[in-house]
PDB file of all heavy atoms in Angstrom:
ATOM      1  N   PRO G 257     -35.603 -20.621  19.441  1.00 98.00           N
ATOM      2  CA  PRO G 257     -34.754 -19.433  19.286  1.00 98.00           C
ATOM      3  C   PRO G 257     -34.967 -18.909  17.858  1.00 98.00           C
ATOM      4  O   PRO G 257     -34.776 -19.644  16.897  1.00 98.00           O
ATOM      5  CB  PRO G 257     -33.329 -19.972  19.476  1.00 98.00           C
ATOM      6  CG  PRO G 257     -33.486 -21.382  20.004  1.00 98.00           C
ATOM      7  CD  PRO G 257     -34.815 -21.865  19.522  1.00 98.00           C
ATOM      8  N   LEU G 258     -35.401 -17.665  17.781  1.00 97.00           N
ATOM      9  CA  LEU G 258     -35.700 -17.071  16.470  1.00 97.00           C
ATOM     10  C   LEU G 258     -34.523 -16.177  16.091  1.00 97.00           C
ATOM     11  O   LEU G 258     -34.373 -15.078  16.621  1.00 97.00           O
ATOM     12  CB  LEU G 258     -37.010 -16.294  16.552  1.00 97.00           C
ATOM     13  CG  LEU G 258     -37.551 -15.702  15.258  1.00 97.00           C
ATOM     14  CD1 LEU G 258     -37.785 -16.771  14.204  1.00 97.00           C
ATOM     15  CD2 LEU G 258     -38.855 -14.953  15.525  1.00 97.00           C
ATOM     16  N   CYS G 259     -33.707 -16.683  15.189  1.00 96.00           N
ATOM     17  CA  CYS G 259     -32.426 -16.054  14.860  1.00 96.00           C
ATOM     18  C   CYS G 259     -32.550 -15.134  13.662  1.00 96.00           C
ATOM     19  O   CYS G 259     -31.718 -14.253  13.445  1.00 96.00           O
ATOM     20  CB  CYS G 259     -31.430 -17.159  14.573  1.00 96.00           C
ATOM     21  SG  CYS G 259     -29.780 -16.590  14.162  1.00 96.00           S
ATOM     22  N   GLY G 260     -33.601 -15.335  12.864  1.00 90.00           N
ATOM     23  CA  GLY G 260     -33.787 -14.525  11.672  1.00 90.00           C
ATOM     24  C   GLY G 260     -35.014 -15.008  10.934  1.00 90.00           C
ATOM     25  O   GLY G 260     -35.606 -16.041  11.289  1.00 90.00           O
ATOM     26  N   LEU G 261     -35.410 -14.253   9.924  1.00 87.00           N
ATOM     27  CA  LEU G 261     -36.569 -14.631   9.116  1.00 87.00           C
ATOM     28  C   LEU G 261     -36.219 -14.390   7.659  1.00 87.00           C
ATOM     29  O   LEU G 261     -36.852 -13.606   6.975  1.00 87.00           O
ATOM     30  CB  LEU G 261     -37.802 -13.813   9.497  1.00 87.00           C
ATOM     31  CG  LEU G 261     -38.367 -13.993  10.906  1.00 87.00           C
ATOM     32  CD1 LEU G 261     -37.905 -12.854  11.794  1.00 87.00           C
ATOM     33  CD2 LEU G 261     -39.876 -14.037  10.886  1.00 87.00           C
ATOM     34  N   VAL G 262     -35.193 -15.105   7.201  1.00 81.00           N
ATOM     35  CA  VAL G 262     -34.650 -14.787   5.885  1.00 81.00           C
ATOM     36  C   VAL G 262     -35.699 -14.968   4.789  1.00 81.00           C
ATOM     37  O   VAL G 262     -35.652 -14.279   3.771  1.00 81.00           O
ATOM     38  CB  VAL G 262     -33.350 -15.580   5.616  1.00 81.00           C
ATOM     39  CG1 VAL G 262     -33.623 -17.034   5.341  1.00 81.00           C
ATOM     40  CG2 VAL G 262     -32.539 -14.945   4.505  1.00 81.00           C
ATOM     41  N   SER G 263     -36.671 -15.838   5.023  1.00 80.00           N
ATOM     42  CA  SER G 263     -37.727 -16.017   4.008  1.00 80.00           C
ATOM     43  C   SER G 263     -38.583 -14.765   3.865  1.00 80.00           C
ATOM     44  O   SER G 263     -39.307 -14.610   2.884  1.00 80.00           O
ATOM     45  CB  SER G 263     -38.625 -17.203   4.363  1.00 80.00           C
ATOM     46  OG  SER G 263     -39.556 -16.859   5.382  1.00 80.00           O
ATOM     47  N   GLN G 264     -38.513 -13.887   4.857  1.00 81.00           N
ATOM     48  CA  GLN G 264     -39.406 -12.729   4.875  1.00 81.00           C
ATOM     49  C   GLN G 264     -38.714 -11.415   4.512  1.00 81.00           C
ATOM     50  O   GLN G 264     -39.374 -10.411   4.287  1.00 81.00           O
ATOM     51  CB  GLN G 264     -40.037 -12.591   6.269  1.00 81.00           C
ATOM     52  CG  GLN G 264     -40.856 -13.801   6.682  1.00 81.00           C
ATOM     53  CD  GLN G 264     -42.046 -14.003   5.761  1.00 81.00           C
ATOM     54  OE1 GLN G 264     -42.960 -13.205   5.739  1.00 81.00           O
ATOM     55  NE2 GLN G 264     -42.007 -15.058   4.956  1.00 81.00           N
ATOM     56  N   TYR G 265     -37.398 -11.410   4.471  1.00 76.00           N
ATOM     57  CA  TYR G 265     -36.700 -10.136   4.307  1.00 76.00           C
ATOM     58  C   TYR G 265     -37.030  -9.478   2.972  1.00 76.00           C
ATOM     59  O   TYR G 265     -37.128  -8.257   2.880  1.00 76.00           O
ATOM     60  CB  TYR G 265     -35.185 -10.313   4.421  1.00 76.00           C
ATOM     61  CG  TYR G 265     -34.726 -10.758   5.785  1.00 76.00           C
ATOM     62  CD1 TYR G 265     -33.479 -11.343   5.954  1.00 76.00           C
ATOM     63  CD2 TYR G 265     -35.523 -10.592   6.905  1.00 76.00           C
ATOM     64  CE1 TYR G 265     -33.040 -11.753   7.196  1.00 76.00           C
ATOM     65  CE2 TYR G 265     -35.086 -11.009   8.147  1.00 76.00           C
ATOM     66  CZ  TYR G 265     -33.844 -11.590   8.290  1.00 76.00           C
ATOM     67  OH  TYR G 265     -33.408 -12.000   9.523  1.00 76.00           O
ATOM     68  N   ASN G 266     -37.162 -10.298   1.939  1.00 75.00           N
ATOM     69  CA  ASN G 266     -37.457  -9.741   0.619  1.00 75.00           C
ATOM     70  C   ASN G 266     -38.958  -9.663   0.337  1.00 75.00           C
ATOM     71  O   ASN G 266     -39.357  -9.189  -0.717  1.00 75.00           O
ATOM     72  CB  ASN G 266     -36.799 -10.591  -0.468  1.00 75.00           C
ATOM     73  CG  ASN G 266     -35.322 -10.304  -0.601  1.00 75.00           C
ATOM     74  OD1 ASN G 266     -34.844  -9.282  -0.114  1.00 75.00           O
ATOM     75  ND2 ASN G 266     -34.605 -11.198  -1.242  1.00 75.00           N
ATOM     76  N   ALA G 267     -39.780 -10.142   1.274  1.00 78.00           N
ATOM     77  CA  ALA G 267     -41.223 -10.204   1.027  1.00 78.00           C
ATOM     78  C   ALA G 267     -41.839  -8.806   1.144  1.00 78.00           C
ATOM     79  O   ALA G 267     -41.591  -8.097   2.119  1.00 78.00           O
ATOM     80  CB  ALA G 267     -41.877 -11.150   2.025  1.00 78.00           C
ATOM     81  N   THR G 268     -42.623  -8.414   0.165  1.00 78.00           N
ATOM     82  CA  THR G 268     -43.306  -7.127   0.274  1.00 78.00           C
ATOM     83  C   THR G 268     -44.572  -7.300   1.120  1.00 78.00           C
ATOM     84  O   THR G 268     -44.981  -6.385   1.813  1.00 78.00           O
ATOM     85  CB  THR G 268     -43.635  -6.562  -1.116  1.00 78.00           C
ATOM     86  OG1 THR G 268     -44.162  -7.609  -1.915  1.00 78.00           O
ATOM     87  CG2 THR G 268     -42.382  -6.031  -1.791  1.00 78.00           C
ATOM     88  N   GLU G 269     -45.187  -8.486   1.053  1.00 87.00           N
ATOM     89  CA  GLU G 269     -46.310  -8.822   1.935  1.00 87.00           C
ATOM     90  C   GLU G 269     -45.866  -9.952   2.858  1.00 87.00           C
ATOM     91  O   GLU G 269     -45.551 -11.047   2.388  1.00 87.00           O
ATOM     92  CB  GLU G 269     -47.511  -9.299   1.108  1.00 87.00           C
ATOM     93  CG  GLU G 269     -48.483  -8.201   0.724  1.00 87.00           C
ATOM     94  CD  GLU G 269     -49.027  -7.434   1.926  1.00 87.00           C
ATOM     95  OE1 GLU G 269     -49.540  -8.079   2.859  1.00 87.00           O
ATOM     96  OE2 GLU G 269     -48.917  -6.200   1.936  1.00 87.00           O
ATOM     97  N   PRO G 270     -45.823  -9.714   4.165  1.00 92.00           N
ATOM     98  CA  PRO G 270     -45.356 -10.792   5.035  1.00 92.00           C
ATOM     99  C   PRO G 270     -46.321 -11.981   5.031  1.00 92.00           C
ATOM    100  O   PRO G 270     -47.533 -11.818   4.902  1.00 92.00           O
ATOM    101  CB  PRO G 270     -45.289 -10.146   6.416  1.00 92.00           C
ATOM    102  CG  PRO G 270     -46.149  -8.934   6.345  1.00 92.00           C
ATOM    103  CD  PRO G 270     -46.158  -8.492   4.916  1.00 92.00           C
ATOM    104  N   TYR G 271     -45.752 -13.163   5.171  1.00 95.00           N
ATOM    105  CA  TYR G 271     -46.537 -14.398   5.261  1.00 95.00           C
ATOM    106  C   TYR G 271     -47.265 -14.436   6.608  1.00 95.00           C
ATOM    107  O   TYR G 271     -46.697 -14.078   7.637  1.00 95.00           O
ATOM    108  CB  TYR G 271     -45.583 -15.584   5.132  1.00 95.00           C
ATOM    109  CG  TYR G 271     -46.224 -16.924   5.376  1.00 95.00           C
ATOM    110  CD1 TYR G 271     -46.839 -17.616   4.336  1.00 95.00           C
ATOM    111  CD2 TYR G 271     -46.225 -17.492   6.644  1.00 95.00           C
ATOM    112  CE1 TYR G 271     -47.437 -18.850   4.563  1.00 95.00           C
ATOM    113  CE2 TYR G 271     -46.825 -18.727   6.876  1.00 95.00           C
ATOM    114  CZ  TYR G 271     -47.425 -19.392   5.834  1.00 95.00           C
ATOM    115  OH  TYR G 271     -48.018 -20.603   6.065  1.00 95.00           O
ATOM    116  N   GLY G 272     -48.506 -14.878   6.593  1.00 96.00           N
ATOM    117  CA  GLY G 272     -49.279 -15.011   7.832  1.00 96.00           C
ATOM    118  C   GLY G 272     -49.118 -16.408   8.424  1.00 96.00           C
ATOM    119  O   GLY G 272     -49.482 -17.393   7.793  1.00 96.00           O
ATOM    120  N   VAL G 273     -48.588 -16.483   9.641  1.00 96.00           N
ATOM    121  CA  VAL G 273     -48.332 -17.780  10.285  1.00 96.00           C
ATOM    122  C   VAL G 273     -49.602 -18.263  10.975  1.00 96.00           C
ATOM    123  O   VAL G 273     -50.144 -17.573  11.840  1.00 96.00           O
ATOM    124  CB  VAL G 273     -47.160 -17.668  11.289  1.00 96.00           C
ATOM    125  CG1 VAL G 273     -46.956 -18.966  12.036  1.00 96.00           C
ATOM    126  CG2 VAL G 273     -45.887 -17.280  10.543  1.00 96.00           C
ATOM    127  N   LYS G 274     -50.067 -19.437  10.583  1.00 96.00           N
ATOM    128  CA  LYS G 274     -51.392 -19.910  10.988  1.00 96.00           C
ATOM    129  C   LYS G 274     -51.401 -20.760  12.242  1.00 96.00           C
ATOM    130  O   LYS G 274     -52.422 -20.886  12.901  1.00 96.00           O
ATOM    131  CB  LYS G 274     -52.002 -20.717   9.847  1.00 96.00           C
ATOM    132  CG  LYS G 274     -52.259 -19.888   8.594  1.00 96.00           C
ATOM    133  CD  LYS G 274     -52.976 -20.707   7.535  1.00 96.00           C
ATOM    134  CE  LYS G 274     -53.213 -19.858   6.299  1.00 96.00           C
ATOM    135  NZ  LYS G 274     -51.936 -19.408   5.671  1.00 96.00           N
ATOM    136  N   HIS G 275     -50.288 -21.385  12.558  1.00 96.00           N
ATOM    137  CA  HIS G 275     -50.340 -22.407  13.609  1.00 96.00           C
ATOM    138  C   HIS G 275     -49.814 -21.952  14.954  1.00 96.00           C
ATOM    139  O   HIS G 275     -49.303 -22.751  15.735  1.00 96.00           O
ATOM    140  CB  HIS G 275     -49.602 -23.663  13.141  1.00 96.00           C
ATOM    141  CG  HIS G 275     -50.307 -24.345  12.007  1.00 96.00           C
ATOM    142  ND1 HIS G 275     -49.669 -24.812  10.885  1.00 96.00           N
ATOM    143  CD2 HIS G 275     -51.628 -24.602  11.811  1.00 96.00           C
ATOM    144  CE1 HIS G 275     -50.549 -25.332  10.059  1.00 96.00           C
ATOM    145  NE2 HIS G 275     -51.752 -25.219  10.583  1.00 96.00           N
TER     146      HIS G 275
END
Side-chain angles (χ1 to χ4, degrees):
Chain G
L258 185 58
C259 181
L261 295 100
V262 73
S263 78
Q264 300 297 293
Y265 295 161
N266 282 343
T268 44
E269 268 304 307
Y271 173 87
V273 176
K274 296 185 180 62
H275 293 135

